[in-house]
Amino acid sequence: MDAETIVREALELLRQEGLAGVTFRKLTTRLEVKAPAIYWRFKDKQELLDAMAEAMLQEQFAGFAPHAAGEPWQPWWSGVLRRLRRAMLAYPDGGRVVAGARPPGAPTLPRISEYGLRALEGGGLPLVEAANVVFTALHYTFGHVIEEQDSTGADTVDLAAFAATYPTIARLLTTGRGNGDAIFDAGIALIINGSR
């Protein structure tokens, strides 16, 4: 049993059951193998989760290259963060899987940071300021996606009672500004524009 097959099946299990459903026991049943076949490739669940995170990231970052010198870094970095968000949103609990991955098992993660730091420093920011922008934006992206994926029960809220208690929030939501994409983009813009 090769590692790629195990990861593919684990991602399918993630899609169907969420992170809590990804267990070695369920994988052995689905793959019709004994546990040693999986442990031969992955010593523990964290190692499997790292490989899953890398596979998820590669769906958006295959062929990922550094920022082109001479071009503004702001639109490039915003685009990288949108790709990261899309990669995580493609799977239930994807934010938790990617945010919890360790760099050796998910090398795309440190590559994103490295290329981000190079782009911002090449664009004129001192390295420490570049690091502040890069890591604040990454942490914001992880947190935003985790919150998006954990927001359950919204369909059971009494909207009239909510609007009566929180009229300003309700008014904001009717502007269309309250959707996930708009909120995410506004947050990224605040982080990036704060560096100027």
Side-chain angles (χ1 to χ4, degrees), residues 7-178:
V7 169
R8 210 171 32 248
E9 195 63 36
L11 287 172
E12 189 54 38
L13 195 54
L14 179 67
R15 194 182 300 281
Q16 293 172 5
E17 299 189 31
L19 186 55
V22 179
T23 66
F24 278 25
R25 184 183 56 78
K26 287 183 181 179
L27 276 173
T28 57
T29 301
R30 290 172 68 102
L31 292 166
E32 299 178 347
V33 297
K34 301 281 186 208
I38 295 176
Y39 282 108
W40 177 254
R41 300 292 179 190
F42 301 101
K43 68 178 179 179
D44 57 27
K45 186 173 179 180
Q46 184 59 56
E47 198 170 277
L48 173 63
L49 290 172
D50 293 346
M52 291 168 62
E54 180 63 17
M56 291 165 59
L57 290 168
Q58 281 302 303
E59 290 178 13
Q60 287 292 322
F61 288 94
F64 181 48
H67 170 258
E71 296 294 320
W73 63 264
Q74 294 88 343
W76 176 84
W77 184 235
S78 295
V80 168
L81 296 166
R82 285 188 199 99
R83 289 164 69 184
L84 176 59
R85 179 172 173 254
R86 280 194 304 270
M88 293 186 289
L89 285 174
Y91 293 88
D93 297 319
R96 291 192 184 284
V97 173
V98 174
R102 300 168 302 184
T108 298
L109 274 178
R111 190 173 306 119
I112 290 169
S113 300
E114 175 70 21
Y115 291 175
L117 290 169
R118 286 186 206 171
L120 276 63
E121 190 178 31
L125 294 182
L127 182 58
V128 171
E129 188 176 341
N132 289 339
V133 173
V134 166
F135 293 112
T136 299
L138 287 171
H139 293 148
Y140 167 77
T141 303
F142 293 143
H144 192 279
V145 171
I146 289 169
E147 185 176 316
E148 283 181 285
Q149 293 182 322
D150 282 354
S151 294
T152 56
D155 53 343
T156 62
V157 172
D158 178 346
L159 295 179
F162 182 86
T165 307
Y166 307 104
T168 310
I169 295 172
R171 199 171 74 243
L172 175 66
L173 293 174
T174 64
T175 67
R177 164 62 184 82

